[in-house]
Amino acid sequence: MKYAIIIPDGAADEPLKELGGKTPLAVAKTPFMDEVAMSGRIGTARTVPAGFESGSDVATMSLLGYDPVKYHTGRAPLEAAAKDIPLSADDMVFRLNLVTAVDGVMKDHSAGGITDAEAAVLLAALHDELKSAGLMEGFEIHQGVSYRNLLVKRGLPHWKLTTKPPHEIPEEKIEKWLPTGEGQQVLRAIMERSAKLFATHEINLVRKENGMNPASQVWLWGQGTAPALANFKGRFKVGPAAMITGVDLLRGLARLIGWDNLTMPGMTSFHDTDYARQGVDTAAALDKYDLVVSHIESPDEASHQADTATKIAAIEAIDKHVVGPVLAKLKTYPEWRLLVLPDHPTNIATRKHGYAPTCFAMCGTRVGSVVPKAYTEANAATADLHLDHGHELMEYFLHSAK
């Protein structure tokens, strides 16, 4: 049996007035997603358990079959695993975003999608500044992709802190959401130093001149300790498996559960990503792997920017260039299954992640259609398949009706 899962991150949404009371997913032209839904089954899965903040760390862990209540220790440790950063039981790691704050208000969690090269220069300058101020002792800065970076704290104690994802506070005063708890003085000092340093940095001056959001400071959040996840093949008896993604978080999850990570040129987190190449590479990977997960971040980023047109365009591109070719490839195998779903909703109206159950569609060998309906949030909500525990969806997808 061959399996593929396609994750259009954040594609689900709430109805929008500007779209006549429809969602971007309902408005988008998605003939291949509709084929999956109408030839198979649709439904919903609650990938964010009660008590957790909605985010891809929790939702994707759940989607991959791992209960966050049992396995989740924080977002940043998953990204550290992707970069092969060793963490001892004594260490902590924080997500370090480059963000845009103006007059004390969070304007952009991604600093305008800052480039890796620009981020490298800013992070190097920050390292030197913090070292001269005596704030780097016991800490390491690790560059990631674009605005997503890490700060590792070596050695005990494990601070008990409350932090906030910057993408969850758009247009809000940042003072309210600064880190609180043990170690807050250190984290706040790092953030304050970065703001003073970046205010006059050449990288930001050039970005402003070119009409782009500057990286006005760093934002620390998503802290946690090293997780221990059970091997996927050992649990589900399916493998080998591989992940295709442009996001370190998912690479880290894949590494921790024993999957391969496949690299692909032209992959970004935004709508400039090479969708066609991702579809070709995902389809080709099925010849080697029994399960391939292909994750595309662009709908989520468009949602955080409240960019409806780009979100619709991203969904349509994923349907045409990824879902279509992968579905065609799967049909060449004697037995196969395909699952399409966002890990969580991301709502344009709020620019934040939503908490509603995510909508899924699956088709393939021994997956029968109950009532054929197109792939939309509303149709999934009225279907007869609803999983309150999102981590149970993987078992259902892999082994139901076999």
Side-chain angles (χ1 to χ4, degrees):
M1 180 83 83
K2 293 289 186 177
Y3 302 93
I5 301 174
I6 298 172
I7 307 174
D9 198 302
D13 209 317
E14 296 291 334
L16 297 171
K17 289 183 180 179
E18 65 193 88
L19 298 179
K22 295 182 179 180
T23 66
L25 182 60
V27 169
K29 296 178 177 65
T30 56
F32 297 108
M33 293 184 194
D34 290 344
E35 180 181 342
V36 174
M38 298 183 74
S39 65
R41 302 200 67 179
I42 57 175
T44 66
R46 189 174 295 280
T47 54
V48 180
F52 284 85
E53 196 152 36
S54 182
S56 290
D57 52 338
V58 172
T60 306
M61 180 178 286
S62 183
L63 186 158
L64 294 179
Y66 293 80
D67 184 358
V69 174
K70 180 178 180 181
Y71 291 103
H72 188 268
T73 64
R75 180 181 183 119
L78 303 177
E79 300 185 12
K83 302 189 72 62
D84 204 21
I85 299 171
L87 296 177
S88 76
D90 294 344
D91 299 333
M92 290 186 71
V93 58
F94 298 79
R95 173 73 172 270
L96 184 154
N97 271 50
L98 293 169
V99 303
T100 304
V102 179
D103 296 329
V105 175
M106 183 65 68
K107 291 293 184 179
D108 186 353
H109 73 283
S110 68
I114 193 166
T115 67
D116 291 355
E118 291 170 318
V121 174
L122 289 172
L123 293 175
L126 179 61
H127 174 275
D128 292 345
E129 171 70 15
L130 296 178
K131 185 175 181 180
S132 67
L135 291 171
M136 277 304 295
E137 185 175 353
F139 288 97
E140 301 166 2
I141 295 175
H142 293 266
Q143 185 178 1
V145 178
S146 182
Y147 63 92
R148 307 177 183 93
N149 307 283
L150 297 174
L151 178 73
V152 176
K153 174 184 174 295
R154 298 294 184 187
L156 295 171
H158 288 163
W159 290 336
K160 294 181 180 179
L161 286 152
T162 299
T163 61
K164 191 72 172 179
H167 53 260
E168 291 298 301
I169 55 171
E171 303 300 329
E172 294 190 34
K173 288 283 188 180
I174 63 175
E175 180 68 29
K176 177 182 177 182
W177 300 110
L178 293 172
T180 59
E182 298 170 356
Q184 69 175 46
Q185 297 89 346
V186 177
L187 299 187
R188 290 187 180 201
I190 291 172
M191 295 162 72
E192 289 169 7
R193 285 269 179 173
S194 72
K196 293 178 181 178
L197 174 67
F198 292 172
T200 57
H201 197 283
E202 183 181 1
I203 290 287
N204 284 325
L205 297 179
V206 172
R207 288 184 66 82
K208 287 180 180 179
E209 288 177 4
N210 291 327
M212 295 183 289
N213 285 342
S216 65
Q217 67 174 84
V218 302
W219 188 266
L220 298 169
W221 63 287
Q223 68 278 359
T225 56
L229 276 68
N231 180 271
F232 184 91
K233 187 174 182 180
R235 287 191 62 202
F236 294 104
K237 313 305 178 188
V238 171
M243 175 72 73
I244 299 177
T245 180
V247 177
D248 277 346
L249 165 63
L250 277 85
R251 292 193 189 104
L253 275 167
R255 180 187 290 269
L256 289 166
I257 62 177
W259 291 11
D260 289 346
N261 279 300
L262 306 183
T263 58
M264 190 198 86
M267 178 182 288
T268 74
S269 297
F270 304 97
H271 190 45
D272 61 353
T273 195
D274 191 341
Y275 295 103
R277 180 61 184 266
Q278 185 155 356
V280 168
D281 285 6
T282 302
L286 287 163
D287 286 332
K288 179 178 179 181
Y289 296 94
D290 292 337
L291 169 60
V292 178
V293 173
S294 192
H295 168 263
I296 310 97
E297 178 77 1
S298 52
D300 182 71
E301 291 290 356
S303 301
H304 286 307
Q305 300 300 328
D307 188 342
T308 304
T310 297
K311 181 168 186 174
I312 293 171
I315 292 170
E316 292 181 342
I318 293 166
D319 184 76
K320 178 180 180 180
H321 296 296
V322 184
V323 178
V326 171
L327 180 59
K329 177 68 172 183
L330 284 167
K331 290 178 179 179
T332 67
Y333 297 107
E335 294 190 316
W336 59 274
R337 288 184 179 181
L338 173 61
L339 174 64
V340 179
L341 77 166
D343 51 348
H344 54 69
T346 309
N347 300 329
I348 284 177
T350 62
R351 294 173 57 188
K352 301 178 183 181
H353 293 159
Y355 288 84
T358 193
C359 53
F360 66 80
M362 69 173 70
C363 69
T365 305
R366 292 182 291 278
V367 179
S369 177
V370 180
V371 179
K373 293 182 178 180
Y375 182 53
T376 68
E377 298 92 341
N379 286 341
T382 60
D384 66 343
L385 182 55
H386 305 285
L387 300 175
D388 287 332
H389 303 288
H391 64 275
E392 295 175 352
L393 178 60
M394 181 62 75
E395 176 70 27
Y396 184 91
F397 170 62
L398 297 176
H399 300 303
S400 66
K402 288 185 65 176

